[in-house]
Each structure stands twice: as structure tokens, then as C-alpha cells.
Amino acid sequence: GAGNGFQTLVLVKPDAVQRRLVGDVIGRFERRGFKLVAMKLLQADRGLLDQHYQHLQQKPFYPALLAYMTSGPLVAMVWEGYNVVRSTRAMVGDTDSAKAAAGTIRGDLSMHVSRNVVHASDSVETALKEIGFWFQRDELVAWECGDSQYTYGP
Ligand code: IDP
């Protein structure tokens, strides 16, 4: 359907893994209708995070961000679907959990900017780059989701 092929990177961050929120986060993207095309649990290392958070390396909170993101395993996923980058950002909510609207992942599951549960790519170009940082090409699975005539329409 229209919009097929658009993909985004979502990370379920270490705080959410520790707090057993992985299923809650995945369930929200599943129920929205998006298709899971890659997923793995891993311990991120500094090299990977330096790439992923290149735009933040000069920020005063960057050392704390690195410590947080390496404090335990995280879940990396690629989700696909219509308008998935923008819709996923809306589902995630404001970067600062204290400002995130109720109903969003951050607004429902977290209260502070430094432990905000998830990452989602902020543009189509960023998504392409970030998927490349976290996944090998052959880790993405192309498959037909049987309900697409109900989630996309004709
Ligand atoms: P985003 O995750 O909503 O795209 P970015 O500005 O790219 O927001 O920041 C990346 C991550 O860095 C945030 O999700 C959060 O974990 C952390 N972060 C951002 N701003 C702050 C801050 O002021 N204090 C502590 N951590 C922050």
C-alpha cells in the first residue's frame, strides 16, 4: 500500500528493559498497525552510541546519556508502515517526559528527560542512517503482513 517501505528505528532504552516495559512499547506499535521488520536485544557500546548521538556529543549531559544508554541491554527495532517516522514520533511524545502528553509512551511511562524509555528517529533521512548504525542489511526481514488490506485499505 501507499507508504509501504518507510521504516524507522525505535530503541527501547535500558530503563524500560529494567522496568519490564518492552512488551508495552512493542504492543503500542503493533496495535497501531505498523509491521515489525527487525528486532534484537543488545548491550550497546560507546562507539555505536557516539554514531547514533553524534548531534549531542557537545552537550553537557552527553556523558550521563552515554552512561544511561550503556547501563544495561536495550531493544533495537525497525518498524515499517504508512507515515511511520512521523506517527512514531507522535506516539513517543516530547523528549522531556515531564512535558510529554498523556497517551504518549513517554507521557504514560516516564517522568524525567534523563530516563525517557524510548528513542525514535526524527526524520526519514535520520531513520535511514540510524537503521544502518544498528542493523546489518540482512537483519531486516521482508514479509507480507496478512492484515494489510485492513490497515491500509484498498
Ligand atoms: P529525542 O530522543 O526526543 O529525539 P534528543 O534531543 O535527540 O531527543 O535527545 C536524545 C536523548 O538525550 C533524549 O531522548 C534523552 O534521553 C537525552 N536528553 C536530551 N536532553 C536531555 C537533558 O536535558 N538532560 C538529560 N538527558 C537529555
Side-chain angles (χ1 to χ4, degrees), residues 19-97:
R19 295 175 56 212
R20 303 169 204 276
L21 297 174
V22 175
D24 187 316
V25 172
I26 290 174
R28 289 169 186 245
F29 296 121
E30 280 196 311
R31 291 196 298 276
R32 187 81 192 263
F34 297 127
K35 178 167 74 173
L36 183 61
V37 296
M39 178 165 72
K40 59 185 170 188
L41 178 82
L42 74 155
Q43 172 73 53
D45 64 19
R46 180 173 183 157
L48 183 52
L49 292 165
D50 281 345
Q51 282 187 299
H52 178 78
Y53 282 135
Q54 202 161 17
H55 63 297
L56 297 176
Q57 282 186 38
Q58 305 312 316
K59 299 279 188 190
F61 60 80
Y62 190 67
L65 178 58
L66 266 183
Y68 161 46
M69 292 296 291
T70 57
S71 65
L74 53 75
V75 177
M77 308 181 286
V78 177
W79 289 91
E80 184 176 296
Y82 181 73
N83 206 31
V84 68
V85 174
R86 200 190 298 193
S87 295
T88 297
R89 287 290 286 191
M91 291 169 72
V92 164
D94 196 292
T95 300
D96 183 352
S97 299

Side-chain angles (χ1 to χ4, degrees), residues 101-144:
T104 64
I105 293 170
R106 287 168 173 163
D108 287 350
L109 304 176
S110 60
M111 61 182 183
H112 193 276
V113 66
S114 69
R115 299 288 184 270
N116 62 0
V117 176
V118 281
H119 167 84
S121 307
D122 66 4
S123 71
V124 172
E125 303 82 70
T126 310
L128 268 175
K129 268 202 300 190
E130 291 181 350
I131 290 167
F133 296 153
W134 291 88
F135 288 94
Q136 304 293 322
R137 203 186 273 266
D138 66 5
E139 291 179 298
L140 302 195
V141 179
W143 60 291
E144 271 312 311

